[in-house]
Amino acid sequence: MAAPLLESLSESLGSPEPAVRLILSILIGYPCALVYRQFLFYKPARVIHLFHTVSGLGLAAFNFGSQLYHSAVCILVQFLMLRLMGRTVTTVLSSFTFQMVYLLAGYYYTATGEYDITWTMPHCVLTLKLIGLALDFYDGGKEPSQLSAEQKKSALLSVPSLIEVYGFSYFYGGFLVGPQFTLRSYQQLVAGELTDCPRKPPNSVIPAMKRFALGFLCLVIYAIFSPYYSDSYYLTDEFEAQPFWYRCVFILLWAKIILYRYVSCWVIAEGVCILSGLGYNGMVNGEHQWDACANMKVWLFETTPLFQGTIASFNINTNAWAARHVFKRLKFLGNKTLSHVATLLFLAIWHGLHSGYILCFSMEFFIIIVERQASALVRDSPLLTKVANSPLYPLIYVVQQFIHWLFMGYPLVPFCLLTYDRWLKVYWSVYFCGHVFFLVAFLIMPYLRKVLVPKKERSQKQD
């Protein structure tokens, strides 16, 4: 009965059935959170873990059928590693190796060259969650003086139970599309500690509904405009026949629309976390904060003219996970640039085996380097600083925003088209303008500094 209904719904919406199942599953998180608040908030921890496990397994079965065993097996193996290997480097390395190899094997056997919604989609979220669990468990065995403030908040002081690990992994607010959160945060949720009114369910309905409304608005925008800005249009003769300026503008508008696919899912899922209480983040300046699970800063995302600003506003929890568990743990390399490259390489491989991911993250790295040099140039040059603070700034902002969104969409082309034969065709059609623009900017930046930055300022920077 459900299958014909879903088929009819997907046809009426013009969306693939797996995408409709995914959106419905994220929305189901809201009634699950209400059940927890109304009937389970005061129940023993084991009952809550069981509810989260069963509800998460139900969502997995609804989306992926019998393939839910992939997640169940990996969670069990992770638990056994913690129990049998203890707080050792071996546990961390074994966890990292097993979970990543399993995920990459999944990518290898399910990849089709298209953006498919298969069991590997939530499994990539789960992979980070389980690797982070092993690292937090390892940190729990260290002396407090050896840990950073961030690590102290997430370090596990005791071995979690099997049902606790399953509840943490299958929690309906984060199982399918994230966000990432620690087991310590999940334990606080189950203990009823993540609330603005002690020993009572949190007053989070209104904050949750605000995020839901914003996420739903983004979903509507995506549903309306995505048919006009599809990935497949890049590969048509019609696209190639368009003038150069049209192709560039299409990339800009396409990027704006395509990113709403991710924004809508993350913001709606954040609302589920807020409703349950997991999004509670304490009190700041007398106001309760509900942004602990925020994966998007939508206002910053829409208004920032900087590439770094977009990165800071997008997929926040995954970026924070990578910073905490990869970048900062590579401190022993003694080189921030090398650590940054290694982190981006990890994220590229974690996304999948297609060449498009590697190219996207390598372009991101290069763009950020050039932008930082340009920002330093504006800051150190009295002339450019004066112009930036002049009445001309609104015009400068419009031009900067156009460049920002044009070249934010540029590295997204390989990210979405995946295979080299497809993204290479698009890049040829726009004459590799993004590569040319940032390579030229990188090469001329030292000469611009000589011209625009006083010699005294340059010598102080060198010192």
Side-chain angles (χ1 to χ4, degrees):
M1 182 66 182
L5 285 175
L6 285 170
E7 188 176 336
S8 300
L9 182 59
S10 64
E11 287 179 1
S12 62
L13 294 174
S15 298
E17 187 177 321
V20 174
R21 286 179 181 269
L22 175 64
I23 291 297
L24 289 176
S25 299
I26 297 173
L27 293 174
I28 288 171
Y30 285 89
C32 286
L34 290 174
V35 169
Y36 162 70
R37 291 168 57 95
Q38 188 68 29
F39 302 106
L40 301 175
F41 188 84
Y42 300 104
K43 297 294 183 182
R46 290 182 64 86
V47 175
I48 299 175
H49 296 322
L50 183 61
F51 172 69
H52 291 157
T53 302
V54 172
S55 58
L57 282 169
L59 294 176
F62 176 63
N63 284 272
F64 314 111
S66 62
Q67 291 179 329
L68 64 83
Y69 76 86
H70 292 291
S71 57
V73 167
C74 286
I75 296 167
L76 177 60
V77 170
Q78 185 63 59
F79 170 76
L80 292 175
M81 286 181 183
L82 300 184
R83 283 284 184 177
L84 300 178
M85 296 181 181
R87 303 179 191 274
T88 62
V89 174
T90 303
T91 304
V92 173
L93 295 179
S94 299
S95 169
F96 182 89
T97 303
F98 174 79
Q99 302 297 350
M100 283 300 294
V101 168
Y102 200 104
L103 176 65
L104 295 179
Y107 286 147
Y108 179 80
Y109 285 108
T110 62
T112 64
E114 301 288 341
Y115 184 83
D116 299 312
I117 298 177
T118 66
W119 66 267
T120 58
M121 188 202 66
H123 202 87
C124 72
V125 177
L126 179 65
T127 296
L128 295 191
K129 195 177 290 187
L130 295 178
I131 292 173
L133 174 62
L135 287 163
D136 291 336
F137 182 64
Y138 174 71
D139 288 342
K142 295 180 179 180
E143 292 294 328
S145 58
Q146 296 178 288
L147 302 176
S148 66
E150 195 175 38
Q151 290 172 332
K152 288 176 183 177
K153 288 177 63 177
S154 58
L156 295 171
L157 305 180
S158 60
V159 185
S161 66
L162 179 59
I163 189 64
E164 188 174 25
V165 175
Y166 270 106
F168 161 68
S169 302
Y170 280 121
F171 174 68
Y172 46 82
F175 169 63
L176 290 170
V177 297
Q180 292 292 331
F181 53 90
T182 65
L183 181 58
R184 282 285 294 273
S185 295
Y186 174 76
Q187 289 172 335
Q188 289 179 301
L189 171 72
V190 173
E193 297 173 4
L194 295 181
T195 176
D196 56 335
C197 40
R199 295 180 295 279
K200 292 182 180 180
N203 294 309
S204 58
V205 174
I206 292 178
M209 290 303 101
K210 287 181 178 179
R211 297 309 280 178
F212 167 77
L214 180 58
F216 189 76
L217 175 62
C218 294
L219 182 62
V220 170
I221 293 172
Y222 174 73
I224 292 173
F225 292 102
S226 60
Y228 303 101
Y229 296 95
S230 65
D231 301 350
S232 59
Y233 181 66
Y234 281 121
L235 308 177
T236 63
D237 294 335
E238 182 183 348
F239 179 76
E240 285 198 15
Q242 300 293 345
F244 172 72
W245 69 265
Y246 180 93
R247 284 174 253 163
C248 290
V249 172
F250 182 87
I251 290 176
L252 184 154
L253 297 175
W254 166 82
K256 287 290 291 182
I257 298 303
I258 204 70
L259 287 176
Y260 279 116
R261 177 170 68 193
Y262 305 98
V263 175
S264 59
C265 290
W266 289 335
V267 175
I268 292 173
E270 182 194 344
V272 175
C273 294
I274 293 173
L275 188 60
S276 67
L278 190 65
Y280 185 64
N281 203 19
M283 184 178 288
V284 176
N285 297 325
E287 292 188 9
H288 295 286
Q289 305 297 308
W290 301 98
D291 58 355
C293 293
N295 224 4
M296 284 296 306
K297 295 179 180 178
V298 179
W299 180 252
L300 177 62
F301 174 75
E302 293 292 348
T303 59
T304 180
L306 301 175
F307 295 96
Q308 188 64 56
T310 296
I311 293 170
S313 67
F314 191 83
N315 207 1
I316 297 169
N317 279 284
T318 299
N319 291 336
W321 187 100
R324 184 170 70 251
H325 290 311
V326 182
F327 180 81
K328 292 179 181 178
R329 292 179 190 271
L330 293 175
K331 188 177 180 180
F332 66 89
L333 295 176
N335 187 304
K336 284 188 176 182
T337 300
L338 191 57
S339 298
H340 192 179
V341 170
T343 303
L344 290 176
L345 179 61
F346 167 78
L347 288 174
I349 296 173
W350 170 71
H351 275 88
L353 299 173
H354 293 292
S355 60
Y357 295 125
I358 296 290
L359 185 61
C360 173
F361 283 95
S362 61
M363 275 297 298
E364 175 191 315
F365 177 69
F366 189 52
I367 288 171
I368 290 301
I369 287 177
V370 174
E371 182 179 71
R372 287 175 178 170
Q373 291 179 346
S375 297
L377 176 62
V378 173
R379 183 179 62 248
D380 298 339
S381 168
L383 175 62
L384 294 181
T385 300
K386 184 178 180 180
V387 172
N389 294 325
S390 72
L392 290 174
Y393 180 73
L395 177 61
I396 296 171
Y397 174 84
V398 171
V399 174
Q400 187 178 5
Q401 192 67 278
F402 177 83
I403 295 172
H404 164 229
W405 273 111
L406 171 60
F407 293 119
M408 183 55 67
Y410 187 81
L412 281 176
V413 170
F415 185 90
C416 294
L417 296 186
L418 302 177
T419 58
Y420 78 93
D421 56 318
R422 301 170 76 188
W423 56 255
L424 190 60
K425 182 179 180 181
V426 179
Y427 277 169
W428 272 116
S429 72
V430 293
Y431 313 114
F432 289 85
C433 61
H435 290 79
V436 173
F437 180 87
F438 286 102
L439 180 59
V440 170
F442 179 77
L443 293 175
I444 68 172
M445 206 69 69
Y447 300 101
L448 291 176
R449 288 193 67 86
K450 287 183 179 180
V451 173
L452 297 171
V453 179
K455 188 174 182 180
K456 181 180 178 182
E457 292 286 337
R458 293 203 306 272
S459 61
Q460 287 179 349
K461 290 293 177 182
Q462 290 172 354
D463 294 341

